[in-house]
Amino acid sequence: MVPGATNGSTHKNGDSLRHVREPLVYSGSLDTFNSFDVTTVIGREFPDIQLTDLMSSQDADKLLRDLAIIISQRGVVFFRNQNIDLKAQKELTQRLGELAGKPETSKLHVQPLYNSPDNTPLSDQGDTDPNGDTDPNVYVISSKSQGKLYKSMQHRMTVSAASAYWHSDVAFENVPADYSFLRLTRTPTTGGDTLWASGYEVYDRISSSMREYFSTLTATFAQPVFKRSANDGGFSIVSPRGSPENVGDAFEVSHPVVRTNPVTGWRSIFAVGLHCKEIDGVTPYENRMIKEYIEYLITHNHDLQVRFRWNTNDVAIWDNRSVYHTATPDLIGEREGQRTTSVGERPYFDPASTSRREALSEELV
Ligand SMILES: [Fe+2]
């Protein structure tokens, strides 16, 4: 039985607070399938499931809603050797977000650099699309063509520590991602593992007084590389991008440092990594201290991380609201895949939400 989220929260003064959104409760429909937790804190693998079987089941809505809940609770879920095609992948990504209760206006995210002449066609990935088309909702992850598309990032890629690339997908949008779905269609001989880290657990490793302070803060997320790439390449940024609120080419927005996941009702630290420009309203030194402290918690605690070694057609689906991830730039051979990303809700902090550990320990009582 997967632990469900608690339905309410009582604070120290005894007052019961109402959630902004009631957490979802897992019905148990996926308990009949083989699964194991990859680490104690984060990650689960279903070795025997074909996602297409869940989608065509009579109980599809129930199964997929439960799957969304498990992804939100465990942070990332893995499936091996999937037969799912791109059309079904797009459908499933959107459906997970919908079944988990995202706003009606939220659709699949649109790749901002879709108009780039350097956008990688799907046919470069082998058998997925014989027409060589591109798809605005699909991010082609390609070790071969990434350098062309993100010209201005090339220098950084060669001089920064690998740990500098932890991020949550499209956190620079006003309405960022809930679920991302990545399938690798070509895997390198060696290397190219992806790592995820639990934002719930980062929050749980912070002292209660510091947590309270962090809960009062927001951070600015930004990604200037898109505008630079569009200017350099002479093409326009795509807009809107999966939500009427995701428009323009500024890619700069404030989000809460502590974010509540509406599916679990658990708090996590959201202000992390690549897209997090600065903590708002603090001195430059405090900004550096806070960001380094959060990065320290991620990089010095490998027991809140999970590392996945890919085989061809393996799939990972994760909840960007509460986990971060990073690729490993140590490839021998080529690595290609396709990512679809569901746009969720505007990030918020719910004072009635609890930490993951608090919620799970309440259930054991
Ligand atoms: Fe990513």
Side-chain angles (χ1 to χ4, degrees), residues 167-169 318 325 339:
H167 66 280
S168 166
D169 286 337
W318 62 94
H325 60 283
R339 193 192 90 207

Side-chain angles (χ1 to χ4, degrees), residues 126-324:
D127 60 355
T128 52
D129 187 321
N131 301 318
D133 292 339
T134 53
D135 186 313
N137 295 126
V138 179
Y139 283 76
V140 176
I141 310 288
S142 165
S143 57
K144 210 165 71 177
S145 54
Q146 194 165 20
K148 273 202 280 181
L149 195 55
Y150 299 96
K151 289 184 184 74
S152 49
M153 286 176 76
Q154 275 177 318
H155 175 66
R156 282 199 325 192
M157 297 289 268
T158 56
V159 297
S160 300
S163 62
Y165 298 100
W166 286 101
H167 66 280
S168 166
D169 286 337
V170 306
F172 44 78
E173 295 281 20
N174 293 327
V175 188
D178 47 26
Y179 303 105
S180 280
F181 182 128
L182 176 60
R183 180 167 76 102
L184 282 205
T185 49
R186 187 176 295 167
T187 47
T189 314
T190 310
D193 294 356
T194 303
L195 283 81
W196 288 262
S198 170
Y200 297 135
E201 186 66 12
V202 169
Y203 179 82
D204 267 318
R205 296 201 184 182
I206 297 173
S207 62
S208 57
S209 53
M210 190 75 93
R211 287 181 195 175
E212 290 307 312
Y213 171 57
F214 281 5
S215 303
T216 67
L217 297 173
T218 59
T220 297
F221 290 71
Q223 191 43 277
V225 74
F226 295 129
K227 202 170 177 178
R228 279 207 301 272
S229 290
N231 286 343
D232 292 350
F235 60 90
S236 60
I237 297 278
V238 183
S239 210
R241 298 174 294 274
S243 162
E245 295 176 68
N246 291 344
V247 291
D249 61 5
F251 298 102
E252 186 160 318
V253 59
S254 268
H255 293 312
V257 167
V258 180
R259 182 178 185 180
T260 300
N261 187 310
V263 176
T264 57
W266 302 340
R267 301 176 182 190
S268 71
I269 295 291
F270 189 59
V272 162
L274 193 55
H275 308 307
C276 182
K277 184 180 164 194
E278 61 192 16
I279 309 296
D280 300 329
V282 299
T283 67
Y285 185 68
E286 289 166 346
N287 170 58
R288 208 175 78 217
M289 275 199 310
I290 293 170
K291 286 180 65 179
E292 283 179 0
Y293 173 49
I294 294 170
E295 188 183 323
Y296 167 92
L297 290 170
I298 297 170
T299 57
H300 285 244
N301 290 294
H302 68 278
D303 53 343
L304 56 74
Q305 300 174 7
V306 61
R307 179 170 181 142
F308 189 58
R309 182 181 158 83
W310 299 87
N311 295 309
T312 306
N313 291 323
D314 287 349
V315 163
I317 313 177
W318 62 94
D319 187 337
N320 288 287
R321 295 173 288 208
S322 310
V323 298
Y324 338 105

Side-chain angles (χ1 to χ4, degrees), residues 14 38 73 179 226 325 328 330 345:
V38 187
Q73 291 178 340
Y179 303 105
F226 295 129
H325 60 283
T328 311
D330 62 344
E345 70 287 328

Side-chain angles (χ1 to χ4, degrees), residues 2 24-33 46 49-71 77 79 92 95-96 99-100 179 317:
V2 176
L24 303 183
V25 178
Y26 175 70
S27 82
S29 69
L30 290 164
D31 289 356
T32 52
F33 296 95
F46 284 92
I49 283 183
Q50 280 294 335
L51 290 163
T52 47
D53 291 342
L54 299 187
M55 293 175 76
S56 58
S57 160
Q58 280 189 328
D59 287 327
D61 276 359
K62 189 183 201 181
L63 290 163
L64 296 177
R65 189 167 180 269
D66 272 348
L67 177 58
I69 295 169
I70 290 176
I71 297 164
V77 176
F79 304 89
L92 178 55
R95 218 161 146 195
L96 286 170
L99 290 165
Y179 303 105
I317 313 177

